């Protein structure tokens, strides 16, 4: 593996594949990286926080340009693995599974790399570590003041050793998430977000026995530590705290490699 490059601004270069609106990028930037994103959806580039953005096929770009970067992060589409499609084979079949193909190309670069995906993709990943919002204190108050915590378990596979922070025990806190397809209680005419929130939480926990997604975009933003994305972008993003943790370990590894 190569060490840290002598980049113009003194920051090593990271390639962010399947980048979306840049949750991973923001964390890597905070960790000290200069980040360039690639995504098939050109519109996400409008909000992408990295230094550069390329609209196009992520794996094709990786095959052609991967060796130009000091390290590479990839978040292949999760829809082919996620619990949202687990009970619907027809829906799952519509989504490609790219973890294996991504890994194959990453290995060929000879660079440090990371693959991120949902917990349900564990069987397709090699010795991944799990990150959870509780490890980073990701939490927010709902519109009515009820404390919320974020779990958002994500797996990280890498060709360098990755350490996990301490994982606080999951107790009976009110867990909240940020994802699409959630059902809520019927909002009454004139009812504020603070007034409907307790009924939404009750319906999620005791009636549907599923996850709770706050209606308030501001609360969703606070849970993730993201304030620049669309709602759809947040639904598909990892919290920047995760990639900042990983990004700092990448830099330590690369610094040791050239010492």
């Amino acid at each position: 593996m190569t060490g840290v490059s002598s980049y113009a601004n003194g920051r090593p270069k990271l390639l962010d594949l399947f980048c979306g609106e840049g949750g991973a990028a923001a964390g890597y930037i905070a960790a000290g990286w200069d980040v360039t994103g690639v995504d098939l959806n050109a519109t996400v580039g409008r909000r992408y926080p990295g230094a550069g953005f390329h609209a196009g096929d992520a794996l094709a770009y990786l095959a052609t340009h991967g060796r130009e970067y000091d390290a590479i992060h990839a978040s292949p589409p999760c829809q082919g693995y996620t619990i949202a499609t687990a009970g619907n084979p027809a829906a799952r079949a519509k989504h490609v599974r790219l973890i294996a193909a991504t890994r194959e190309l990453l290995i060929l670069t000879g660079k440090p790399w990371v693959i991120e995906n949902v917990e349900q993709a564990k069987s397709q990943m090699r010795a991944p570590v799990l990150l959870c919002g509780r490890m980073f204190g990701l939490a927010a108050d709902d519109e009515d003041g009820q404390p919320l915590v974020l779990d958002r378990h994500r797996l990280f596979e890498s060709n360098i050793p990755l350490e996990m922070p301490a994982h606080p025990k999951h107790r009976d806190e009110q867990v909240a998430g940020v994802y699409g397809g959630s059902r809520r209680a019927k909002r009454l005419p004139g009812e504020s977000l603070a007034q409907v929130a307790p009924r939404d939480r009750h319906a999620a926990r005791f009636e549907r026995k599923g996850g709770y997604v706050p209606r308030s975009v501001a609360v969703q933003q606070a849970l993730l530590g993201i304030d620049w994305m669309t709602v759809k972008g947040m639904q598909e993003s990892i919290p920047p705290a995760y990639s900042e943790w990983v990004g700092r370990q990448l830099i330590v590894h690369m610094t040791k490699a050239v010492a």
Side-chain angles (χ1 to χ4, degrees):
M1 296 178 190
T2 59
V4 179
S5 70
S6 54
Y7 194 56
N9 64 3
R11 296 163 70 96
K13 297 191 297 181
L14 182 132
L15 177 59
D16 179 15
L17 301 171
F18 311 99
C19 65
E21 293 181 9
Y28 283 115
I29 291 167
W33 291 88
D34 187 272
V35 183
T36 296
V38 182
D39 200 283
L40 199 59
N41 181 359
T43 61
V44 302
R46 302 171 188 167
R47 295 175 181 268
Y48 189 71
F53 173 81
H54 297 276
D57 183 275
L59 296 187
Y61 189 91
L62 171 60
T64 304
H65 299 284
R67 292 180 178 86
E68 299 169 14
Y69 296 83
D70 297 301
I72 306 166
H73 171 100
S75 293
C78 67
Q79 290 87 350
Y81 309 99
T82 183
I83 194 171
T85 58
N88 189 337
R92 175 162 284 190
K94 295 178 182 178
H95 301 287
V96 293
R97 292 185 165 199
L98 295 176
I99 290 176
T102 301
R103 180 189 299 113
E104 183 177 344
L105 289 172
L106 289 170
I107 291 171
L108 291 175
T109 67
K111 303 288 184 171
W113 52 263
V114 176
I115 298 174
E116 174 273 327
N117 219 278
V118 293
E119 196 172 15
Q120 293 76 26
K122 185 175 182 179
S123 65
Q124 307 299 311
M125 302 180 75
R126 298 175 181 174
V129 299
L130 180 144
L131 296 184
C132 168
R134 299 183 198 225
M135 296 174 174
F136 304 94
L138 297 182
D141 289 339
D142 211 343
E143 288 289 339
D144 63 339
Q146 168 68 42
L148 306 173
V149 297
L150 181 80
D151 285 346
R152 209 170 188 85
H153 288 177
R154 292 296 183 268
L155 299 178
F156 291 78
E157 173 188 338
S158 181
N159 63 340
I160 73 162
L162 292 178
E163 296 182 0
M164 289 173 55
H167 194 174
K169 187 174 181 179
H170 289 208
R171 302 186 185 278
D172 197 37
E173 302 96 337
Q174 175 63 60
V175 178
V178 182
Y179 48 84
S182 63
R183 293 177 294 168
R184 301 184 175 102
K186 183 178 180 180
R187 189 175 179 182
L188 303 176
E191 194 172 31
S192 69
L193 292 178
Q195 290 171 322
V196 73
R199 294 196 297 106
D200 281 341
R201 294 194 299 267
H202 183 276
R205 177 176 284 195
F206 299 107
E207 296 174 18
R208 300 193 314 276
K209 301 188 184 301
Y212 169 62
V213 178
R215 294 178 190 248
S216 168
V217 173
V219 173
Q220 294 182 27
Q221 291 175 328
L223 282 168
L224 290 171
I226 289 171
D227 63 4
W228 70 92
M229 290 188 187
T230 62
V231 170
K232 186 175 187 301
M234 289 194 293
Q235 291 171 352
E236 298 179 349
S237 180
I238 63 170
Y242 292 8
S243 48
E244 181 177 357
W245 176 266
V246 172
R248 294 190 186 281
Q249 293 185 69
L250 280 170
I251 287 180
V252 168
H253 170 82
M254 293 171 64
T255 302
K256 289 180 178 177
V258 297

